[in-house]
Amino acid sequence: PLRCHTSNEQLLTSITKRLTNWDMEGFTKVKDAAIYKAILSHLRKRNAPTIFRKAVRSQNQRAYDGANELAFGAAVNTDGTELKISPSMQVLVRGACALHTRLLGAYHHSIKEQNVPEPRPATKRMIEKVQNEISPVLKKKPQPEAIWKSIRDTDISRRARNFMWTALHGAHKVGKYWKHIPGYEERATCSDCGATEDLEHILLHCKRPWCRLIWDIAKDLWPKTMTMVIGQNPLWGSY
Ligand SMILES: [Zn+2]
């Protein structure tokens, strides 16, 4: 895991508590949206966990001061070039990643990308899957923006919205996520079917009886008009 320590409480709260909601709401009215978008895009590209903590100077003074110095260096280095870190400075900051520096680094990166971070490959794949599977039902291909907007509908409970948002990013900790985590590799595979236990397998294809059962119960709960969308088999975009 990557451990990020910051002394800035507001930043800590923004990243750990608000970032995903801001993203769901389209970053409207968020100050420094470009920086936060870039941070989010960096975090999503990571496979291993990222841990954020409050930095306390008294606990590791050398790392704290070293990180501050790096952040200051990055702040004055505004031409967007790579930040040079001397070997002695690397020793100072080892174990304590200065979020200020990451922030500025991410900011420079986002300027290079004209503030439009590319969607993660997993997100792109999921959006394409939804588009392809729902197109024959809707008789038109929904644009990605329409799909994102549809899951922000406040008629849907917040928990369900969060679930769908995470699913669309392919960010649930299932299937391939576990493949490269030593000691947890077996979690990648369904113990009943032997297939990769990704969300699609869990929700749609698993042979375990409760997979089918849940959909049958769900069909009973949905209004009759929904059968047109759901049809006989559940598909991406219908849940
Ligand atoms: Zn299975």
Side-chain angles (χ1 to χ4, degrees):
L2 170 69
R3 291 170 205 280
C4 298
H5 296 240
T6 174
S7 56
N8 186 330
E9 209 137 344
Q10 195 195 336
L11 187 64
L12 196 66
T13 316
S14 298
I15 289 179
T16 56
K17 302 210 170 110
R18 302 199 182 115
L19 206 51
T20 45
N21 278 341
W22 283 346
D23 188 43
M24 284 171 75
E25 284 152 15
F27 280 97
T28 47
K29 296 182 198 154
V30 176
K31 205 179 153 221
D32 295 326
I35 298 177
Y36 285 113
K37 276 188 205 172
I39 289 176
L40 192 62
S41 142
H42 278 266
L43 290 174
R44 288 208 186 114
K45 280 179 194 149
R46 291 181 44 73
N47 288 321
T50 311
I51 296 160
F52 291 93
R53 283 229 176 90
K54 177 98 166 71
V56 182
R57 185 168 185 260
S58 57
Q59 279 172 5
N60 196 340
Q61 212 167 312
R62 277 158 62 87
Y64 188 101
D65 292 344
N68 261 343
E69 206 168 316
L70 260 183
F72 180 74
V76 292
N77 185 18
T78 50
D79 62 353
T81 51
E82 284 282 306
L83 185 63
K84 297 266 189 304
I85 305 174
S86 70
S88 60
M89 190 61 91
Q90 283 176 23
V91 175
L92 271 175
V93 295
R94 185 179 298 157
C97 166
L99 200 58
H100 302 79
T101 313
R102 284 183 66 76
L103 202 82
L104 288 156
Y107 184 58
H108 289 153
H109 191 74
S110 77
I111 289 171
K112 262 188 258 164
E113 290 179 348
Q114 280 109 38
N115 297 339
V116 187
E118 253 299 285
R120 297 157 68 237
T123 308
K124 239 171 141 174
R125 268 199 304 276
M126 280 305 298
I127 289 288
E128 278 165 15
K129 208 177 244 294
V130 171
Q131 284 179 316
N132 291 338
E133 299 211 358
I134 203 75
S135 296
V137 181
L138 297 178
K139 309 224 163 26
K140 64 175 183 191
K141 190 172 173 176
Q143 289 306 300
E145 299 73 40
I147 296 171
W148 289 113
K149 192 166 175 256
S150 73
I151 67 157
R152 278 188 221 136
D153 194 320
T154 46
D155 281 347
I156 308 167
S157 74
R158 183 176 276 270
R159 278 181 78 180
R161 274 183 276 156
N162 281 339
F163 179 84
M164 291 192 286
W165 181 86
T166 312
L168 273 183
H169 279 297
H172 281 109
K173 292 178 179 174
V174 292
K176 272 197 246 163
Y177 173 85
W178 297 105
K179 248 182 194 157
H180 306 292
I181 301 185
Y184 293 94
E185 296 91 339
E186 84 282 3
R187 289 194 184 182
T189 313
C190 173
S191 57
D192 275 52
C193 315
T196 301
E197 201 175 38
D198 52 18
L199 196 62
E200 180 161 357
H201 180 81
I202 297 167
L203 291 177
L204 307 178
H205 306 308
C206 188
K207 287 185 221 137
R208 287 164 174 154
W210 51 84
C211 176
R212 195 67 239 178
L213 181 72
I214 293 283
W215 285 106
D216 286 342
I217 295 171
K219 268 187 206 171
D220 282 345
L221 289 173
W222 276 324
K224 286 280 169 279
T225 47
M226 289 290 282
T227 45
M228 185 237 7
V229 178
I230 300 154
Q232 283 310 301
N233 293 305
L235 40 83
W236 284 114
S238 73
Y239 72 85

